[in-house]
Amino acid sequence: AQSVTQLGSHVSVSEGALVLLRCNYSSSVPPYLFWYVQYPNQGLQLLLKYTSAATLVKGINGFEAEFKKSETSFHLTKPSAHMSDAAEYFCAVTPTGGGNKLTFGTGTQLKVEL
Amino acid sequence: DAGVIQSPRHEVTEMGQEVTLRCKPISGHNSLFWYRQTMMRGLELLIYFNNNVPIDDSGMPEDRFSAKMPNASFSTLKIQPSEPRDSAVYFCAIDRASGANVLTFGAGSRLTVL
């Protein structure tokens, strides 16, 4: 079964600094991969998704993620953090070719400091 | 997200009471999901429906939990009797197009069982 592991439950960066949130997947075949963001007291929102097209995926709010099969990774990055990026970020996986069940990672809380 | 309305947003109840959480998908969808979020276990898929039919309820923790979807515009998650360990945020989500795996989440129902 597919799964994802998020390294670091809490990440703190300075405003303007690079954001790097790590996600590694476990799957016998390349799966579909997603990043969702959750702001306080809200549901999750899709940031971006990888579905076996381009390996570099651009999402909303300046975020992007790169699928690296050799490293089984799908890390999320943003060149310059903004205070409004403070939230919890979830990596998720589903089998290639569809299927509705998303399996989420444990989440990474991003803190942005002045 | 306006696509999924959940009620109540907050509920505090005493152990042993029945709890009913409601979900109203505003937009068209094929699939509906119930997730539970806790600090200890993160996001867990409880059950999901395709075209109003329960497909996978393997995540439902116990017989105390039940879910129904009588029509495309309404779903309920019931806990009877409730226990303190059921305290969590319960999310309803929809997949607007089968296989797209892009979930739209409601704002969640925060349940506290005393």
Side-chain angles (χ1 to χ4, degrees), chain A residues 6-30:
Chain A
Q6 293 184 240
L7 300 176
S9 58
H10 292 81
V11 170
S12 183
V13 300
S14 299
E15 191 174 34
L18 171 72
V19 175
L20 171 61
L21 304 182
R22 300 178 186 274
C23 174
N24 288 88
Y25 69 89
S26 173
S27 175
S28 57
V29 295

Side-chain angles (χ1 to χ4, degrees), chain B residues 67-79:
Chain B
K68 293 182 180 179
M69 192 167 183
N71 58 64
S73 302
F74 187 63
S75 178
T76 60
L77 178 68
K78 185 176 291 186
I79 308 172

Side-chain angles (χ1 to χ4, degrees), chain B residues 31 37 43 47 55 66 73-74 78-79 83 86 103:
Chain B
S31 303
Q37 186 178 35
L43 272 164
I47 185 171
I55 301 300
S66 63
S73 302
F74 187 63
K78 185 176 291 186
I79 308 172
E83 298 183 3
D86 302 330
L103 300 187

Side-chain angles (χ1 to χ4, degrees), chain A residues 2 27 29-32 51-52 94-99:
Chain A
Q2 287 84 0
S27 175
V29 295
Y32 289 174
T51 55
S52 69
T94 195
T96 301

Side-chain angles (χ1 to χ4, degrees), chain A residues 32 34 36 38 41-44 46 49 88 90 94 98-106, chain B residues 9 31 33 35 37 43 45 48 50 56 58 91 95 99-103 105-107 110:
Chain A
Y32 289 174
F34 306 79
Y36 280 80
Q38 184 180 27
N41 300 314
Q42 295 185 28
L44 281 71
L46 180 71
K49 64 176 182 178
E88 188 156 20
F90 293 89
T94 195
N100 303 77
K101 289 177 63 173
L102 276 176
T103 300
F104 287 89
T106 51
Chain B
R9 290 294 312 277
S31 303
F33 305 78
Y35 282 88
Q37 186 178 35
L43 272 164
L45 177 63
Y48 79 95
N50 272 0
D56 185 349
S58 60
F91 288 102
D95 180 347
N101 307 114
V102 177
L103 300 187
F105 281 77
R110 181 177 295 277

